[in-house]
Amino acid sequence: MRNRIFFSIIILWCSMLSLYSQTATAPSNGDGSSGNPYQIANLANLYWITQNSSNMDKYYIQTANIDLSSTESWNFVGGAPCCYGIPSIGSYNDDDPFTGNYNGQSYVISNLYVRSTNGGRGLFGTISGATIQNVILTDVDVDIEGQIVGGLVGKANNSTINNCS
């Protein structure tokens, strides 16, 4: 009987993990160059950018609307009670900023949810020498205890932001 209860708890726990698990999937098109940018088509592609600091200097184009509502339960600091939602693209500080080019092509990113005790957060954390254009955010909910925060960008250094709303 004890074994049965134990295994039932393990199965329930594993199913809950899969329910809240994040999947970072590299874009199937593009190589990150200016002539052949990575094509961001879904949440898994967008999450992939946040998980690959070596690609912060690449070129990206968005090819579809992306709904982030499922990220509200994501805890992006390994279980710490401080940080929920999708992690920012580029670090929240100046250590590893986004330095690339992101063109949203006027597709919508909806239901951005970010909760953190660190400033420098938004869809993009810190950007430096970057270009962000044609990004449309709707239904943004950002609650940060730090001083540097924004829906689109937490902190921008010597960057260009065009035609974003």
Side-chain angles (χ1 to χ4, degrees), residues 82-145:
C82 69
C83 308
Y84 289 91
I86 190 165
S88 297
I89 298 169
S91 64
Y92 67 90
N93 53 34
D94 293 328
D95 291 345
D96 196 14
F98 179 78
T99 59
N101 182 304
Y102 190 97
N103 185 344
Q105 299 195 116
S106 297
Y107 286 103
V108 174
I109 297 175
S110 60
N111 301 302
L112 173 65
Y113 180 88
V114 180
R115 291 284 182 273
S116 176
T117 56
N118 299 319
R121 299 260 189 220
L123 178 62
F124 291 85
T126 299
I127 63 172
S128 183
T131 299
I132 299 174
Q133 57 192 353
N134 306 314
V135 175
I136 299 172
L137 294 176
T138 63
D139 299 315
V140 175
D141 185 355
V142 179
D143 182 7
I144 311 248
E145 293 178 17

Side-chain angles (χ1 to χ4, degrees), residues 6-27:
F6 175 76
F7 287 118
S8 296
I9 290 170
I10 294 295
I11 290 170
L12 178 63
W13 181 72
C14 289
S15 65
M16 287 175 60
L17 280 180
S18 66
L19 178 66
Y20 296 115
S21 66
Q22 300 90 355
T23 302
T25 304

